Amino acid sequence: QKEVEQNSGPLSVPEGAIASLNCTYSDRGSQSFFWYRQYSGKSPELIMSIYSNGDKEDGRFTAQLNKASQYVSLLIRDSQPSDSATYLCAVNFYGNNRLAFGKGNQVVVIP
Amino acid sequence: DGGITQSPKYLFRKEGQNVTLSCEQNLNHDAMYWYRQDPGQGLRLIYYSQIVNDFQKGDIAEGYSVSREKKESFPLTVTSAQKNPTAFYLCASQGERGMNEQFFGPGTRLTVL
């Protein structure tokens, strides 16, 4: 069973701090990794894609991928109240055209 | 304006009725997907289609059916055989082949009365 795990409970961070989210996956052959942001009652929005080991930065977001350890993380710098949402990790497992999603991590930014 | 549209936004169904959820995209994407999301849960794949006139079952296809007669359209029918259909239904399409990025429509919230 190919799985994507997001084990942390809700994350509360003060405004301006760094929020750190982690995701592990079961298939060592995975190729593509994504972070989605989902506001309550809305559909997921793609915020980061990462395909190779290392860091990828886009504005206040940084995705970090370590294929050897099979984890991908998302850092949100200078957290804003508008970052309060659920963040979904998604992985494309090798050999198919599907994504597997984690259950998500809720982030609450406290003003 | 390119994008994915889903209709209706809210849908109420009586037990025993079939209902069809619409999904349309004008992004010229080949692959389209249907997911279901329940409270506190991740997205679960119902059906997907990589090309017109072809589709595959996902992880929870029982009680659902789809068609893909046009590249732009991928409707989902929730049949009376689906035991617990109340959920948030999300349609997605996939962009450039090999990149695997999926983009979502706004969703349809189905409630069975």
Side-chain angles (χ1 to χ4, degrees):
Chain A
Q1 181 84 14
K2 296 178 178 178
E3 295 181 343
V4 177
E5 298 282 346
Q6 293 180 257
N7 287 328
S8 303
L11 179 64
S12 292
V13 296
E15 185 173 355
I18 296 175
S20 177
L21 303 172
N22 293 314
C23 171
T24 59
Y25 57 93
S26 60
D27 186 354
R28 186 173 292 275
S30 298
Q31 301 290 304
S32 313
F33 308 85
F34 309 93
W35 284 99
Y36 287 83
R37 177 177 63 197
Q38 186 175 24
Y39 292 115
S40 181
K42 303 296 185 182
S43 62
E45 172 192 9
L46 180 65
I47 56 172
M48 289 291 284
S49 307
I50 188 166
Y51 302 95
S52 55
N53 279 331
D55 294 0
K56 179 182 178 183
E57 188 174 314
D58 184 357
R60 295 185 295 108
F61 297 104
T62 299
Q64 299 173 318
L65 175 60
N66 184 324
K67 289 187 178 181
S69 299
Q70 295 176 234
Y71 81 80
V72 57
S73 62
L74 179 71
L75 299 178
I76 308 172
R77 293 184 304 281
D78 187 25
S79 295
Q80 301 297 308
S82 60
D83 296 325
S84 296
T86 296
Y87 290 81
L88 302 171
C89 173
V91 176
N92 169 250
F93 292 119
Y94 180 76
N96 66 54
N97 207 28
R98 302 169 39 159
L99 295 182
F101 286 82
K103 292 185 177 180
N105 284 126
Q106 185 181 9
V107 172
V108 178
V109 180
I110 303 168
Chain B
D1 229 359
I4 304 170
T5 58
Q6 291 186 243
S7 62
K9 186 174 181 179
Y10 298 97
L11 184 58
F12 298 90
R13 189 195 92 173
K14 293 182 180 179
E15 284 191 17
Q17 288 181 335
N18 295 352
V19 291
T20 297
L21 282 56
S22 169
C23 177
E24 304 276 334
Q25 55 98 2
N26 60 3
L27 301 167
N28 200 35
H29 289 170
D30 286 317
M32 298 184 72
Y33 302 78
W34 274 106
Y35 295 91
R36 167 183 174 141
Q37 188 176 37
D38 296 283
Q41 300 293 316
L43 276 64
R44 292 186 289 167
L45 182 64
I46 304 172
Y47 268 99
Y48 63 109
S49 167
Q50 299 188 65
I51 197 167
V52 174
N53 292 323
D54 187 49
F55 49 83
Q56 290 80 40
K57 292 182 179 180
D59 300 320
I60 56 165
E62 185 175 352
Y64 300 97
S65 65
V66 294
S67 63
R68 186 84 187 279
E69 298 176 1
K70 298 187 299 181
K71 187 175 186 178
E72 301 80 15
S73 179
F74 190 39
L76 173 74
T77 297
V78 184
T79 74
S80 57
Q82 169 49 233
K83 297 304 180 188
N84 186 20
T86 295
F88 189 36
Y89 289 87
L90 291 157
C91 178
S93 67
Q94 183 162 295
E96 182 181 341
R97 188 176 290 275
M99 304 302 284
N100 301 117
E101 291 181 332
Q102 292 187 14
F103 302 93
F104 286 86
T108 292
R109 196 167 297 277
L110 172 64
T111 302
V112 173
L113 304 173

